[in-house]
Structures are given as C-alpha cells and as structure tokens.
C-alpha cells in the first residue's frame, strides 16, 4: 500500500519515461507497487492537463462530503433531547449535574432511578444504558438489553414526552426539545471533519489511478469515514441516539470494520509481494465477512462480538505474515515499514479486545469510561489508513492536500456561521461559504507556497554546512572518504538503510519503483573514477519514496562535494607553493647573510651562536618546503636540534622515543609540535639552570605524549605567570585538541606533560584554528 507507480504504470516498459514525467521501472523480485494516488496526485498538483475531469470529480466529492456533514448536523440539531448533564455515581447510577429546564432544576444532585416512557411503564436507566454504542459490548445478553432499553427511550423522547423518576421518589414530566447546533459538542465537529478528510482521500486515490489496489484503499477509507461519522453521532450529549440508528448501529459499525480488515488483507496480498498461495486466505476473509453480514441481517448469531473480533485480529495477523514473507533475498522497504504499522495496530486491537472483554468485571462507575477506548481506537485506525497514501514520491501532494484541508475547514466554519447567525438555508449557506473559502485559497496560496519554500531553504543551508564539514573530514582522513560520503547522504535523505553495492553508473537513479536510490560513489581521493554505488532505501525514515528530484539532488551533492575537495586541494597547493617560495627566500637571503656573519664573527662564541641560528633556519625552511613530515623523521630532527642547544649551555640530554606506528604529520601539526618543543627547551635554558634534561616521547593507539623533565631550580608551577611563551604553548596544544600541564619533580626540577589524543585526526582542527 504505497504510492510508487506512475500514471502510465500499466503501460509496457519501453525504456522511455512516461508522459507523467516519472521513468517506468520494474523490479523482478517484487510485484508492481500500488499507487494509492500519491504519485499521480503529485502530477495533478503540478497541473497535468489530462486530469482535469478528476479535479471536477474531486470537487464534487468535496461538495458531497460537506453536504453529508451539514445534513447530519442538521438532523442531530433538530433531534429532540433532554437538556441535562449527568454524572456517573460510584454504584453505576446517573446523578443530575446541571440543567436549564425549570422542572428539573430542583433535582440537581439527585440520582435517576428510571424513565417512564408510557403510563405505568417504568424502565430502569443507569450509566451503562447511557453508553451510546453497543458495538463494543462482549456479552450478547447485555447488548440485547441495552439495545432494547435505548430503543424504547429513543422512541419515547421522539414522541415528545417522558417522565424522569428519581430515587427519592420525585417524578418530573419532561418535554424534549431540539438541541440546536450549539448542543452537538466539539467532539462531533472534530470527528466529522476527520471523517470528511478521510472521505476525500478515499476519493482521490481511485480517481487519480483506477485499479484494484486503489479501489481497495478507497473501500478502507470510506468504511472508516463512516465509522467516524457514527462515532461523531455517538459523541453528541444526550440520553440516547436517534431511534433509526439504535437498532442496527452496532451491526453497521461491525460490518464497516470487517470490510476494512478484508480490504487491507486483500491489498497486502497484492503489494509489495504477490504470490498465488495468498489468494486462498483473501477469499476466506471476504467469505467470512460476507457470511457475518448475512447473519447480522437475518438475526443475531451467538457470540456475535467475539466472532467479529476474531475475524479482525485474524486479518491483521495474516497481513503481518504477508509482509514478513519476502519474495527474494531482501525484504522490500515498504513491507518493513508497513509490517511495523500492522504490528502496532494489531497489538492495539488485541489490547482493546481484552479490555472490553473485562468490562463486566469492572466497578459500575468505571464501565462507562471504557467507552472512550473504542473511540480512541477508531481515530487511531482511521489515522493509520489516512497516513498510508503519503508514504509517497513527492511532498507536493502533502502541500496541496494540506491547503485543500484548510479550504474545507474554512468552508465548514463559514457555513456554520451563516446557518447559526443569519439563519440561511442549507443550499445558500453552503454555496456562499464555498465561494468565500475558494477566494481565500486563491489569495493566500502563493504566500503559503513561498513560506514552505523558505523552510526548505533553511534545510538546504544546513545541508551545505554539513557538506563542507564532510569535505574537511575527507581532507583529514582520505581513506574514509567513502564512509563520509555515505554519512552525508544519510544526513540529507534519512533512509532506513544505507549499503555499499557494486555496479556502474554516472548518474543517480531511482529503482524498485521509488524504494531505492542508487548514487554513484566516485573515488574522492583520486578524481572522478567510480568506486561502486551507495544504495539508499526508503527516504525520511520510511515516510516517503524516492523521486527523480532526489536523484538530481544526490548528483548535485556529489558534484558539490567534488568541487569542495578540488577547491581545498587547489588552496592547499597554493599554500604549499607559497611556503616553498618563503622557504626559498629565507634560505637564499637570510641564510646567505647569516653565513657571511658566521665567517666574520669576532670570537668563537659568536661563531657558534650564528652557526646554531643558521642550522635552525635550515630546519625551518626544510619544514616549510615539505607538505608532510614523517613523525619518526621529525623526532630525529627535534633531537638533533635540542641536543645542539643544550650542549651550548653544558646541559646533558637523555632521549627516549617509542612509536607504535610512523604517522605522517601535516605541516600544521609539524609546525605546532616543533614550536612547542623549541619553546619548552628555551624556558629550561633561560630559567631552570638545569644540568640534565630527560625527554620521553610516546605514540600508542593514536595518543601522542611528550614528557620533559629537568633537574633545575624551578618550583611551584601553579604560581607561574603565563606570558607569551607559556601562553603560546597552551594555545598550540589546545588547537590540536590536547592538553599541557606542569608539576614539581622530586627532589628538584619540573616535569611538563604534553598529551595529544587522536594525533592522526587533529590536522583539520588545527588548520581551522
């Protein structure tokens, strides 16, 4: 039960896109999917010329729905009733709470004992008799007594005279009056509006694409719309329903439920999997439904309620079996989603059945509250039916349907205003309200569309923000480029499942009639070469199917990601070339001057100082000229540099290094670590007066640590003032995502610990910083 086919779904597959704009695709593992109107409805929303007659038919259906609700409201408003509010007592009786009838006001707070429908005939009337629907009573004898009681009271109310007998012996003659529109209650209008929406959806589906699957959905929707209308009638406050509904109301509700269950089972047997063995359960379900209807017309059969509930639960369990029995190596995504819907729905029905069966064992004052459960179930079941068509290919139909629902709401409200305030006739109020609602729709439609597009723009901004973040991660870890691209597609489309597959294809495409989107996966580190495909199943967590627009969006995402990476590579090449130029200039100019200065030195100390400066310059220029550095080679350069500097101040170096792998450092990482080491050694030389320095460097499972200990005079590091030197060290370590700390060494000296976790992934963060 999904909207996955095109307007030309039954046409032969010629490999050419159909005239509805959707390519016709098939999957040999699955039966052809049902449309339930969504795809073609999207084409209808786009203004395809050939469905103009369908719009006219839909408008006619909308008028019929509005007329039905309005006429039903008129009948209920004119139906006589006793204007009184009742409360259930602890023993299951009815206590008068409020009334505006003069003869009854004195009995407020008293409990009703019986109702006299004719001279000398007293009919016991308690809280259970006030329950409007006999559909959810498990006991046959109790149901029969309730129907007879309500029918007798309904006829007496419609006759125009009843006598209310209270437990204190007082008798009050009451003449029922029409309740009017204000007496229908808010629940009546809510349930009627919901029924009208479901009725319209049930018409949209077969109008857009007449076929068996869609006709079955129409039967489900129309049956549940009828259920909601009957529930709306039952929600109207009063002692009883109109007598015309009392006798057959429960049988009608039961038949509508059974017809819905059989139609769902039949539709599930057709989609998404189809096989011959499913025909027999479908025939048995329809046969049982028809047989139940015949028995209901001829007379009450024993265990009427249990039979109906067993048929409904059996249909639900068979639906789960059909959806859980895949045809092919992999389950269809639509079947996975609908199996979850079916499991929740059947579970709720089973729980409700058990609760209703236990009603006779509940306290009398609680039993009337159990009637709320079936109303909630009816709304829930109808909501599930209403949601099914919108697991679809396009969001356009949701937008148009939402605006159509708004027009219907406006039309309903205005019509009620005209009827209640100006006392217009039914036809005049309906005609005028439709004109006003359509005029408001034409005036604000473009504004609503622009508002929706604006929300989409924000989503696009967030998407591109995520795209460039993925590009940074790919730059930092090229070996995980394919995984990062799959993460980006999951962020944009939110599929139920994402897998890597083989195959070739230069463009994204929708297969399995919208269930799967195949996106070519280019090798992001080696240019446009393909590295298989990424298969996404069922977009937005199963809320809709994929569309050609999604395929084009996926291509644009891949294209933008490739451009972002190409831009980053070009920027990095520019940076590298600029570093090489700067290094060359430093080497040629400053290096030559330092070399001349070294040979002109006045004494040995000055010559050694200039020589060490020249060596530092060579190390710096060599580092700038290289785009990457081996960690082992960088450590060797650091050791050579530190040894020379410490020997100049007659300080001994003990060096220890252990790496579980030889990482490749970026220029940012190398530069930061080089400056950190240089500044730490400078502080030891300048302030500590140390004679020995111990450096331990470790890399284990990505955690890089450097421990530098000295035997100098430094103490109480917590009281040190952090100037440019120590502040620069902290800043560089923080940009790499690490930490630095100092502590006292016993018996003397200071220990500095630099820790950088995930050294292989800090390049992007350091570069950004």
């Amino acid at each position: 039960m999904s909207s996955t086919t095109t307007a030309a779904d039954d046409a032969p597959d010629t490999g050419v896109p159909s005239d509805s704009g959707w390519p016709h695709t098939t999957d040999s593992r699955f039966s052809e999917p049902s449309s339930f109107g969504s795809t073609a409805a999207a084409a209808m929303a786009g203004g395809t010329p050939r469905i103009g007659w369908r719009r006219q038919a839909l408008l006619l259906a909308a008028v019929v729905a509005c007329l039905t609700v309005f006429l039903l409201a008129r009948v209920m408003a004119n139906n006589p009733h006793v204007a009184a509010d009742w409360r259930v007592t602890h023993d299951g009786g009815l206590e008068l709470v409020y009334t505006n009838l003069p003869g009854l006001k004195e009995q407020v707070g008293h409990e009703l004992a019986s109702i006299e429908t004719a001279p000398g005939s007293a009919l016991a009337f308690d809280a259970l008799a006030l329950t409007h629907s006999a559909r959810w009573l498990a006991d046959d004898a109790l149901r029969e007594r309730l129907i007879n009681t309500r029918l007798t009271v309904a006829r007496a109310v419609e006759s125009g005279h009843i006598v209310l007998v209270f437990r204190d012996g007082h008798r009050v003659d009451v003449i029922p009056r029409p309740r009017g529109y204000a007496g229908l209650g808010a629940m009546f209008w809510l349930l009627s509006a919901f029924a009208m929406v479901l009725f319209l959806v049930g018409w949209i589906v077969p109008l857009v694409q007449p076929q068996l699957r869609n006709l079955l959905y129409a039967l489900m929707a129309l049956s549940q719309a009828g259920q909601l209308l009957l529930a709306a009638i039952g929600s109207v406050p009063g002692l009883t329903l109109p007598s015309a509904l009392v006798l057959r109301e429960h049988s009608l509700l039961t038949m509508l439920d059974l017809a819905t269950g059989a139609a769902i089972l039949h539709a599930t047997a057709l989609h998404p999997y189809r096989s011959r063995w499913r025909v027999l359960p479908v025939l048995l379900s329809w046969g049982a439904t028809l047989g139940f209807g015949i028995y209901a017309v001829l007379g009450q059969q024993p265990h009427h309620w249990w039979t109906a509930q067993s048929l409904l639960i059996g249909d639900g369990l068979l639906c789960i079996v059909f959806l859980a029995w895949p045809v092919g190596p992999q389950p269809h995504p639509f079947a996975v989603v609908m199996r979850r819907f079916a499991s929740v729905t059947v579970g709720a029905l089973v729980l409700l059945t058990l609760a209703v069966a236990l009603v006779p064992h509940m306290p009398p004052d609680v039993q009337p509250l159990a009637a709320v459960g079936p109303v909630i179930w009816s709304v829930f079941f109808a909501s599930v039916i209403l949601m099914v068509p919108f697991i679809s290919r396009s969001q356009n139909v949701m937008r148009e349907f939402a605006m159509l629902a708004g027009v219907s709401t406006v039309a309903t409200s205005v019509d009620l205003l005209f009827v209640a305030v100006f006392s217009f006739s039914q036809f005049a109020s309906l005609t005028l309200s439709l004109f006003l609602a359509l005029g408001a729709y034409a005036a604000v439609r473009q504004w609503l569309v622009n508002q929706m597009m604006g929300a989409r723009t924000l989503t696009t901004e967030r998407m591109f923000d995520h795209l460039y973040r993925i590009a940074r991660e790919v730059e930092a870890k090229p070996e995980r480029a394919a995984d990062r691209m799959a993460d980006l597609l999951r962020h944009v489309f939110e599929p139920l499942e994402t897998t890597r597959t083989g195959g070739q294809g230069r463009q994204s495409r929708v297969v399995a009639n919208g269930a799967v989107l195949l996106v070519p996966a280019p090798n992001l580190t080696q240019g446009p070469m393909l590295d298989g495909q990424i298969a996404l199943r069922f977009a937005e967590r199963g809320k809709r199917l994929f569309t050609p627009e999604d395929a084009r969006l996926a291509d644009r995402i891949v294209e933008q990601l490739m451009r972002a990476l190409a831009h980053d590579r070009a920027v990095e090449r520019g940076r590298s070339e600029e570093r090489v130029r700067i290094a060359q200039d430093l080497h040629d100019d400053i290096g030559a001057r330092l070399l001349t200065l070294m040979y002109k030195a006045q004494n040995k100390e000055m010559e050694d100082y200039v020589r060490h400066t020249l060596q530092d310059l060579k190390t710096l220029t060599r580092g700038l000229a290289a785009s990457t550095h081996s960690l082992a080679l960088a450590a060797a350069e650091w050791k050579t540099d530190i040894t020379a500097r410490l020997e100049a101040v007659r300080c001994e170096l003990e060096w220890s290094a252990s790496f579980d792998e030889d990482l490749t450092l970026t220029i940012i990482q190398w530069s930061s670590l080089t400056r950190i080491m240089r500044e730490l050694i400078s502080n030891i030389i300048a302030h500590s007066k140390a004679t020995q320095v111990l450096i331990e460097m470790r890399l284990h499972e990505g955690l890089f640590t450097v421990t530098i200990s000295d035997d100098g005079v430094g103490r109480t590091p917590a009281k040190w003032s952090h100037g440019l030197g120590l502040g620069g060290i902290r800043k560089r370590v923080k940009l790499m995502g690490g930490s630095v700390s100092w502590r006292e060494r016993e018996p003397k000296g200071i220990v500095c610990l630099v820790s950088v976790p995930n050294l292989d992934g800090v390049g992007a963060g350091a570069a950004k910083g």
Side-chain angles (χ1 to χ4, degrees), residues 592-619:
R593 292 177 183 272
L594 288 174
L595 185 61
T596 301
L597 183 61
M598 183 182 67
Y599 287 117
K600 293 182 178 182
Q602 300 295 326
N603 51 54
K604 181 65 175 176
E605 288 80 4
M606 180 63 69
E607 181 183 347
D608 290 342
Y609 181 80
V610 175
R611 181 180 288 109
H612 290 157
T613 304
L614 184 60
Q615 182 64 37
D616 292 343
L617 179 63
K618 289 182 178 180
T619 302

Side-chain angles (χ1 to χ4, degrees), residues 706 708 717 730 733 739-743 750-755:
V706 179
I708 301 179
R730 289 183 180 276
V733 174
S739 61
V740 59
S741 62
W742 288 267
R743 59 180 175 85
I750 293 294
V751 178
C752 177
L753 175 61
V754 177
S755 177

Side-chain angles (χ1 to χ4, degrees), residues 719-765:
K719 297 182 179 180
W720 292 353
S721 60
H722 293 268
L724 294 177
L726 296 182
I729 292 173
R730 289 183 180 276
K731 180 179 179 181
R732 289 187 173 96
V733 174
K734 183 178 180 181
L735 288 176
M736 293 194 300
S739 61
V740 59
S741 62
W742 288 267
R743 59 180 175 85
E744 294 182 351
R745 180 191 180 192
E746 298 300 336
K748 60 179 181 177
I750 293 294
V751 178
C752 177
L753 175 61
V754 177
S755 177
V756 181
N758 302 320
L759 182 64
D760 59 339
V762 302

Side-chain angles (χ1 to χ4, degrees), residues 11-202:
D13 188 1
T14 61
V16 180
S18 67
D19 54 359
S20 66
W22 307 104
H24 182 76
T25 58
T26 58
D27 189 335
S28 58
R29 295 186 293 124
F30 310 125
S31 68
E32 60 181 17
S34 70
S35 69
F36 279 173
S38 298
T39 301
M44 178 181 67
T48 306
R50 64 174 182 165
I51 61 173
W53 67 270
R54 292 185 174 95
R55 286 185 176 177
Q56 297 175 3
L58 180 59
L59 179 60
L60 177 61
V63 172
V64 170
C66 292
L67 283 175
T68 301
V69 172
F70 296 155
L71 292 177
L72 182 62
R74 179 63 61 85
V75 170
M76 294 302 298
N78 293 330
N79 188 65
H81 90 122
V82 177
D85 294 335
W86 306 89
R87 179 174 59 194
V88 179
T89 62
H90 66 280
D91 59 351
L94 288 177
E95 178 184 332
L96 182 61
V97 177
Y98 171 79
T99 181
N100 56 4
L101 298 178
L104 273 180
K105 288 183 178 180
E106 296 179 357
Q107 299 301 318
V108 171
H110 294 266
E111 187 176 339
L112 181 67
S114 61
I115 298 177
E116 289 188 4
T117 58
S121 62
L123 185 65
F125 201 86
D126 53 15
L128 185 60
L130 192 62
T131 303
H132 286 303
S133 178
R135 159 72 176 92
W136 293 93
L137 289 178
D139 185 81
D140 294 334
L142 183 61
R143 184 188 315 106
E144 190 69 23
R145 179 174 67 83
L146 175 63
I147 292 174
N148 291 333
T149 300
R150 291 171 57 216
L151 183 61
T152 303
V153 174
R155 289 172 176 172
V157 169
E158 292 171 358
S159 68
H161 180 266
I162 60 173
V163 178
L164 302 181
V165 181
F166 291 86
R167 292 195 182 277
D168 60 359
H170 284 84
R171 298 161 50 87
V172 180
D173 290 340
V174 177
I175 299 178
R177 303 293 184 184
R179 59 170 49 87
Y181 288 103
L184 296 180
M187 185 60 66
F188 173 85
W189 298 112
L190 289 175
L191 292 176
S192 297
F194 192 9
M196 187 167 60
V197 171
L198 194 57
F199 176 84
L200 291 176
V201 173

